[in-house]
Amino acid sequence: MLNQPMVVGVIDMDEQRSHIISALVLHRPGVLQRVAGLFTRRGFNIETITVGTSEQDDMARMTIIARGDGKVLEQITKQLNKLIDVIKVRDLEPENTVERELCLIKVHAPAEHVRSEVIQYANIFRGRIIDVGIETLTIEITGTPDKIEALIDLLRVFGIKEIARTGPTAISRGTKII
Amino acid sequence: MKGGEAIIKSLQDHGVDVVFGYPGGVLLPLYDVIYDSDLKHILVRHEQCAAHAADGYARASGKVGVCIGTSGPGATNLVTGIATAYMDSSPIIAIAGQVGTSLIGKDAFQEVDTLGITMPITKHNFQAMKADEIPGMIKAGFYIAKTGRPGPIVLDLPKDVQEEEFDYKKDLKIDLPGYKPTKKGHTLQIKKAANLILESKKPVILAGGGVIHSKSSAELLKLSELIRAPVTTTLMGKGSFPEDHKLSLGMLGMHGRKVANIVVDECDCLIAIGCRFSDRTTGNVEEFASKAKIIHIDVDPAEIGKNIDVNVPIVGDAKNTLTSLIRNITNIKISAENVTKAKKWTDYIFDFKNNCMPRLSFEDVPLKPQQVIKEIMESVDKDTIVTTDVGQNQMWMAHYFTSKIPRTFLSSGGLGTMGFGFPAAMGAKVALPESDVVSVCGDGGFLMVCQELATIKEYDIPIVVCVLDNRYLGMVAQWQKLFYDGRISHTRLGDVPDFVKLAEAFGVKGEKVERPGEMKETLKNALNSGEPTIIDVIIDPDEILPMVPPGCGLTEIVGEYKVEREFSGEIPYVKPAHGGGGD
Ligand SMILES: Cc1ncc(C[n+]2csc(CCOP(=O)(O)OP(=O)(O)O)c2C)c(N)n1
Ligand SMILES: [Mg+2]
């Protein structure tokens, strides 16, 4: 891939946007530090980064959301590829990618009518109530970052106590693998 | 076998015959192994110099240099040397002691996060948590250090791991699934480049350190003569092309030769090989080679498109790529029209170059650095290795000194590390004892590492160090004079030390040079004596090397460019110089 000239024309190189980068890395101590350090040192903007195991035993998959134009993205990909512990790097095309994030939201809901309203919202968003406290409800929701954002906005009126998000992870559609 | 023994055995299996090091508490087990081994160990007097010496060893010989330092301060002292090697793609292995595995993370005595600190300044680094990991790490380390784009490797070595017993296995295989240094240029891209070159009327070649790493000087020469393109180099590329060749333009950039800077501005096709377009080479990137289509050949894909946009990128080893490029060009039929336009271009270049050869001869006292360098050139062979320090001394050498063969001009380019020249010369001499080694340093830089006088004395490493003594941090003072109204803020070095006496205090011969003619004689005698010698050369503190102010285009040279003879005929277009600007 790196040996080929870049395809310009189909992609707008100057467009600033968030890119979803999927990287297969060796499952080793320090690899997260190498990747994160690279982003800081080269002045690349990381929005989120998620790491977990992959289909291969000794490898982990990182999903990095980074902002920049085409040139910045090209540098990010190339610099990541230079790391010895990084096996493969792909910039996922948004239209051919499914992206999901998990979010836990603890909402202030002491009164009965508030509770039922919160539960209704959670249902509409296909969320689940995973914990009930005396004054709080905790919702689990997965979806695209936009969908999660929308639910959070709705719940704000009740008072949000705490939010924990994983950051998006992503995979390409269909049979394609990286 | 013990971990410590495995280190030494693995190093020796990789052909290492000498290491530069400095021991400490956590390295006691390793040094106990060294005690019995036939591996030569050179005890430097500061770890930074162990790394620079290993670097000089690597640059001069093309082999991997090895240095050792203890945990904590030993490791942090190595850091400057490792970063220097990283910026200039020099293959070294730095072994750093570490506190015992059970103490890691406890802020133990002399504990520092060597792995974390060196991550951004190494090609890769390792920490051995078990002794049986050592042979594989060293094997991988050597492979990574010297293949693809070379670079430094750090091995962090906890004390208990050096003592741990394990079964040493021979013929061990290493698996590096994430490391595939690209070798061959893309055929179609090479074809494109060949066509572009033949369509051009004014081609110029820019050669960088990659040409030296890939041993492709012969191919470079062939290409240049085939297409009749003049060759300019980066600082790291000095020596990749014989600078006494008619087609050589000398170094390009902020302190480059006038002819090189202007010709690159005028060219219509720039063939850049194994270089990274550093800001010191390009000046303002918007204005760099703005009339040219650019072909960029580099083994590191990340260098392509990083600093400047190119028309034909080729990722590949310079040697392979050039060979194939030459074949492609030879296959295309060259027309009579091609020959005429090539002749027109080279005639113009030869004429221009003759008219702006920098002036070297000066009768002045205090000595002009140009005269000093001229006399150095008259006293050395073409395979003498010269090292420079950083500052005016370095740029004078880069500008005026004629390098003819690869690996004979060693200088800290990317990091610009004062204190590099002297220990690097030490390493170069250890690598190639048959070659003469001369280091040209500034008085400021030499003083940063002068404790190594003890090392060259103790181990009898007969190098000659020429200290260009201007009693200033000359390069910084030059910028103050040019861009800060001559406000010489803290760049005057005062009157001490007496460099001759300083050398003598270490038992090293010290000489003083003050007048034209003396440099040549003194240097020749020093080289013939086979003894390490320091030559204190009193030079004119007011001499300024013309330069391109930071942020300006390469043709905007400030300062008087003194030429060997007056211009005759038409003077090429030079944009008016303007001053100042921050870096
Ligand atoms: C370790 C380090 N500190 C500071 C600098 C900044 N610097 C660049 S050139 C220079 C002056 C060098 O003075 P000297 O060694 O006397 O050489 P000269 O320029 O006088 O030839 C300085 C301070 C540097 N390059 N390296
Ligand atoms: Mg000086």
Side-chain angles (χ1 to χ4, degrees):
Chain A
M1 168 210 130
L2 289 168
N3 252 346
Q4 271 143 36
M6 246 183 349
V7 192
V8 200
V10 263
I11 310 161
D12 178 0
M13 292 291 285
D14 292 333
E15 188 202 355
Q16 283 275 343
R17 64 173 175 93
S18 289
H19 295 266
I20 309 168
I21 301 160
S22 178
L24 193 64
V25 302
L26 287 181
H27 207 330
R28 280 205 188 140
V31 59
L32 181 61
Q33 192 185 350
R34 287 182 202 278
V35 170
L38 179 85
F39 274 76
T40 335
R41 181 166 86 86
R42 298 260 173 206
F44 302 143
N45 277 320
I46 290 193
E47 289 179 354
T48 64
I49 183 165
T50 68
V51 198
T53 51
S54 74
E55 67 285 355
Q56 296 171 59
D57 277 350
D58 49 350
M59 311 229 175
R61 187 172 306 280
M62 285 189 185
T63 306
I64 302 159
I65 314 281
R67 232 190 132 65
D69 59 15
K71 260 184 91 166
V72 168
L73 183 84
E74 188 191 329
Q75 263 300 305
I76 294 180
T77 322
K78 285 175 168 178
Q79 294 294 348
L80 280 172
N81 264 312
K82 270 175 80 166
L83 296 178
I84 310 288
D85 288 347
V86 171
I87 314 291
K88 271 188 204 167
V89 182
R90 263 304 175 283
D91 174 29
L92 300 177
E93 306 154 23
E95 55 278 18
N96 287 320
T97 301
V98 275
E99 188 191 3
R100 289 292 178 272
E101 182 176 2
L102 169 69
C103 175
L104 306 178
I105 312 164
K106 191 175 283 182
V107 188
H108 183 62
E112 190 51 44
H113 69 279
V114 176
R115 288 189 178 227
S116 59
E117 224 176 315
V118 169
I119 292 167
Q120 263 183 27
Y121 281 143
N123 285 340
I124 295 167
F125 280 79
R126 294 196 211 307
R128 295 194 303 143
I129 305 295
I130 53 168
D131 185 58
V132 181
I134 296 172
E135 298 206 320
T136 59
L137 285 177
T138 299
I139 303 169
E140 170 202 306
I141 173 178
T142 51
T144 59
D146 283 354
K147 173 178 157 184
I148 293 171
E149 224 46 78
L151 178 61
I152 292 172
D153 276 349
L154 280 174
L155 296 174
R156 261 188 231 289
V157 290
F158 307 110
I160 292 175
K161 293 278 189 200
E162 204 173 356
I163 292 178
R165 294 174 74 155
T166 58
T169 187
I171 205 160
S172 54
R173 290 183 189 277
T175 45
K176 213 158 116 189
I177 51 172
I178 80 155
Chain B
M1 182 180 286
K2 280 189 175 146
E5 293 170 90
I7 294 273
I8 303 303
K9 175 154 178 36
S10 303
L11 289 178
Q12 288 181 318
D13 286 351
H14 284 89
V16 175
D17 48 15
V18 60
V19 296
F20 303 89
Y22 208 101
V26 303
L27 284 178
L28 283 163
L30 181 67
Y31 271 79
D32 197 52
V33 180
I34 295 177
Y35 187 79
D36 288 327
S37 91
D38 50 8
L39 180 68
K40 185 168 181 194
H41 177 279
I42 291 180
L43 177 71
V44 292
R45 276 13 182 207
H46 188 296
E47 291 89 347
Q48 179 184 344
C49 295
H52 289 327
D55 188 350
Y57 177 99
R59 292 183 201 222
S61 67
K63 296 193 287 184
V64 177
V66 181
C67 58
I68 303 176
T70 193
S71 67
T76 52
N77 276 350
L78 285 172
V79 164
T80 302
I82 297 168
T84 304
Y86 180 71
M87 288 294 271
D88 290 343
S89 310
S90 182
I92 65 167
I93 292 192
I95 296 172
Q98 183 55 281
V99 301
T101 48
S102 63
L103 288 171
I104 290 179
K106 308 272 160 64
D107 296 323
F109 176 64
Q110 293 190 329
E111 183 190 0
V112 79
D113 176 14
T114 304
L115 216 56
I117 289 173
T118 59
M119 246 175 220
I121 54 164
T122 51
K123 189 167 173 188
H124 195 57
N125 59 13
F126 299 95
Q127 185 176 49
M129 293 301 276
K130 289 195 301 275
D132 65 1
E133 295 173 341
I134 289 171
M137 285 178 174
I138 291 192
K139 189 165 183 180
F142 272 88
Y143 177 63
I144 295 169
K146 63 183 185 191
T147 50
R149 177 180 184 173
I153 302 290
V154 163
L155 175 59
D156 197 34
L157 195 62
K159 185 174 188 183
D160 52 332
V161 177
Q162 298 164 40
E163 283 165 327
E164 190 193 335
E165 286 279 353
F166 76 107
D167 285 333
Y168 184 87
K169 288 194 192 69
K170 272 189 20 197
D171 302 325
L172 127 126
K173 291 225 163 32
I174 49 160
D175 182 25
L176 295 167
Y179 182 63
K180 289 176 198 75
T182 324
K183 289 275 167 56
K184 271 208 163 131
H186 198 267
T187 348
L188 271 178
Q189 291 295 96
I190 295 175
K191 267 214 179 87
K192 250 199 199 163
N195 286 324
L196 189 65
I197 290 169
L198 288 176
E199 281 161 21
S200 70
K201 294 193 183 68
K202 306 170 177 178
V204 172
I205 298 173
L206 168 61
V211 174
I212 295 172
H213 287 308
S214 70
K215 305 188 183 70
S216 43
S217 287
E219 288 77 6
L220 171 63
L221 183 64
K222 205 164 162 190
L223 177 70
S224 147
E225 289 178 346
L226 177 67
I227 63 172
R228 295 176 66 82
V231 179
T232 179
T233 73
T234 65
L235 180 67
M236 300 315 297
K238 234 179 126 67
S240 64
F241 190 81
E243 290 186 309
D244 53 351
H245 192 287
K246 254 185 125 174
L247 284 166
S248 167
L249 300 177
M251 190 182 73
L252 179 71
M254 177 177 271
H255 295 283
R257 287 258 175 120
K258 183 171 182 172
V259 60
N261 284 13
I262 290 175
V263 165
V264 164
D265 183 58
E266 290 179 348
C267 76
D268 65 353
C269 175
L270 184 73
I271 308 148
I273 311 162
C275 69
R276 62 185 177 85
F277 296 106
S278 106
D279 52 289
R280 287 305 194 251
T281 297
T282 62
N284 184 337
V285 282
E286 303 296 327
E287 291 171 39
F288 178 71
S290 55
K291 305 171 191 79
K293 292 245 168 28
I294 301 177
I295 299 164
H296 187 190
I297 301 167
D298 203 286
V299 75
D300 180 357
E303 285 308 336
I304 289 177
K306 186 182 86 181
N307 292 346
I308 63 156
D309 294 329
V310 296
N311 302 83
V312 185
I314 306 174
V315 179
D317 172 75
K319 199 177 183 80
N320 276 312
T321 310
L322 286 181
T323 308
S324 150
L325 184 61
I326 291 167
R327 201 179 324 113
N328 268 275
I329 293 172
T330 330
N331 284 343
I332 304 173
K333 231 181 128 235
I334 295 178
S335 64
E337 185 205 351
N338 263 320
V339 177
T340 329
K341 72 185 186 193
K343 187 169 177 324
K344 210 172 141 199
W345 177 230
T346 44
D347 282 351
Y348 163 75
I349 303 271
F350 296 153
D351 197 41
F352 180 14
K353 182 177 152 182
N354 278 335
N355 279 323
C356 70
M357 287 303 276
R359 177 175 165 196
L360 293 177
S361 311
F362 291 84
E363 288 300 309
D364 308 48
V365 177
L367 281 161
K368 292 283 185 193
Q370 294 92 321
Q371 173 70 22
V372 174
I373 290 170
K374 182 178 155 217
E375 292 186 32
I376 294 176
M377 285 196 273
E378 288 164 356
S379 349
V380 299
D381 302 326
K382 76 170 194 297
D383 53 4
T384 299
I385 297 163
V386 299
T387 74
T388 79
D389 210 69
V390 167
Q392 286 185 315
N393 61 88
Q394 174 188 39
M395 289 301 128
W396 282 323
M397 282 295 283
H399 196 100
Y400 300 112
F401 189 87
T402 308
S403 286
K404 294 168 193 160
I405 53 179
R407 301 194 181 281
T408 57
F409 188 94
L410 317 183
S411 191
S412 165
L415 200 68
T417 310
M418 279 173 75
F420 169 82
F422 174 29
M426 214 163 74
K429 184 70 186 176
V430 170
L432 301 170
E434 300 302 317
S435 302
D436 284 339
V437 179
V438 176
S439 178
V440 176
C441 298
D443 42 358
F446 178 71
L447 212 49
M448 281 189 171
V449 289
C450 63
Q451 76 285 343
E452 298 307 320
L453 284 165
T455 316
I456 59 170
K457 177 65 186 174
E458 287 292 332
Y459 292 89
D460 188 21
I461 304 171
I463 58 174
V464 181
V465 183
C466 309
V467 180
L468 300 192
D469 181 348
N470 54 8
R471 298 292 159 172
Y472 274 98
L473 298 173
M475 184 56 88
V476 184
Q478 165 164 344
W479 286 50
Q480 290 171 338
K481 288 175 194 163
L482 291 174
F483 312 129
Y484 289 86
D485 284 339
R487 292 152 58 88
I488 301 299
S489 177
H490 303 280
T491 45
R492 169 125 173 85
L493 286 172
D495 299 324
V496 290
D498 177 330
F499 287 100
V500 173
K501 281 191 185 148
L502 177 70
E504 285 168 358
F506 286 90
V508 171
K509 206 164 72 185
E511 303 276 3
K512 194 167 193 156
V513 159
E514 289 175 283
R515 319 184 149 272
E518 289 176 10
M519 185 69 215
K520 186 173 170 182
E521 201 192 319
T522 314
L523 180 53
K524 272 197 164 159
N525 289 342
L527 288 170
N528 288 337
S529 76
E531 268 182 68
T533 310
I534 307 305
I535 307 176
D536 181 18
V537 192
I538 311 299
I539 59 160
D540 180 359
D542 294 324
E543 186 60 25
I544 276 176
L545 179 64
M547 67 178 291
V548 176
C552 291
L554 286 183
T555 57
E556 299 170 62
I557 300 165
V558 299
E560 185 200 352
Y561 198 88
K562 297 170 190 153
V563 292
E564 199 66 79
R565 65 182 164 99
E566 287 307 303
F567 284 123
S568 65
E570 205 175 312
I571 299 166
Y573 160 77
V574 188
K575 272 194 226 156
H578 65 70
D583 191 358

